[in-house]
Amino acid sequence: LLEKAAPARGCVDALNVTDGAGARPHLASLAAAGILVQNGYEPVLQFTCRDRNRLALQSDLLGAGAFGIHNLLILGGDDPKAGDQPETKPVFDLGTVEFIQTARQMRDDAVLPSGREISHPPNLFIGIADSPIELKADWKPDRLVEKIDAGAQFAQMQFCFDIGVLERYIARLRDHGIPDRLFLLPGIGPLLSAKSARWMRENLWGVIIPDALIERM
């Protein structure tokens, strides 16, 4: 983990720590983020609602606070049927909106949903996932607004390599006042090859990579 993180030291603001990406088991995201914090990195800790009930999620939020982890990205999680153990049963005791509300309550009110007080509440910056898309004329950001009202503070967007799509999408968000309430992090990153770009576009939710870009690779 530290070998993988080392090239990014001094070059990035934060490192994403995924949680069971691709519906496959990996080093626990809380453990990985804790190791990164202890070694001077700023992680964005991802938690999915897929794998834990509300008790486990609340315990992990307390654990994040104990490690000094601040950035939290709340996700639903990939469908287990797409992973390497498709017989896995998803949990989804809480949905993303409910989990956001829980995280905000624990942070701001210093209490658990049960009413028990938290002596040292976690200091969390709460994030969600989003994806720029071409929008229909009657589209409204109802789901985004619901998550913002629940406590979301930033949105980390999927890769979008079409600047026109991104500009039109953010313009529509601006029409609804979203950028005044939510920090937006558009996604872009290195593409290793045309084959890799095609795979990402076909298999990863929300990734936009135009044909013209792939043809130039």
Side-chain angles (χ1 to χ4, degrees):
L1 174 67
L2 293 176
E3 287 177 359
K4 289 182 177 179
R9 188 181 291 277
C11 301
V12 301
D13 295 307
L15 299 174
N16 271 308
V17 182
T18 58
D19 185 19
R24 297 166 181 257
H26 305 277
L27 177 64
S29 59
L30 179 58
I35 292 170
L36 291 173
V37 165
Q38 292 171 347
N39 285 273
Y41 295 96
E42 181 84 359
V44 178
L45 173 59
Q46 298 187 9
F47 276 148
T48 69
C49 298
R50 177 195 60 213
D51 300 331
R52 307 168 184 82
N53 65 23
R54 65 191 67 196
L55 300 180
L57 289 171
Q58 292 162 29
S59 294
D60 281 348
L61 290 180
L62 294 174
F67 274 119
I69 298 166
H70 304 300
N71 309 304
L72 178 68
L73 190 69
I74 292 176
L75 306 166
D78 297 320
D79 188 340
K81 291 183 175 60
D84 56 1
Q85 299 176 66
E87 68 278 9
T88 299
K89 295 180 180 179
V91 179
F92 292 115
D93 185 28
L94 296 181
T96 53
V97 172
E98 295 170 305
F99 189 19
I100 293 167
Q101 291 170 334
T102 296
R104 182 173 71 169
Q105 180 185 33
M106 292 174 62
R107 180 195 65 197
D108 295 348
D109 301 335
V111 295
L112 292 163
S114 65
R116 285 172 50 207
E117 293 186 4
I118 303 172
S119 59
H120 295 84
N123 179 18
L124 302 171
F125 186 45
I126 302 171
I128 56 175
D130 192 30
S131 180
I133 56 174
E134 291 285 12
L135 300 172
K136 297 180 179 179
D138 60 350
W139 178 87
K140 295 181 179 180
D142 294 337
R143 186 64 172 168
L144 273 178
V145 170
E146 185 180 15
K147 291 180 178 180
I148 294 169
D149 289 342
Q153 297 167 281
F154 74 94
Q156 184 171 290
M157 296 180 172
Q158 273 287 20
F159 281 179
C160 180
F161 291 89
D162 188 322
I163 190 64
V165 171
L166 181 62
E167 288 177 337
R168 290 188 291 274
Y169 182 74
I170 292 182
R172 292 288 295 279
L173 294 185
R174 191 176 295 115
D175 290 341
H176 294 273
I178 297 298
D180 295 328
R181 304 181 63 195
L182 190 73
F183 292 102
L184 302 173
L185 298 174
I188 193 167
L191 296 174
L192 300 180
S193 65
K195 180 180 179 181
S196 174
R198 291 191 189 95
W199 184 92
M200 291 171 62
R201 186 173 64 179
E202 294 169 3
N203 294 279
L204 298 181
W205 168 80
V207 171
I208 298 177
I209 305 176
D211 287 331
L213 176 59
I214 295 176
E215 291 170 359
R216 291 200 300 269
M217 298 179 69

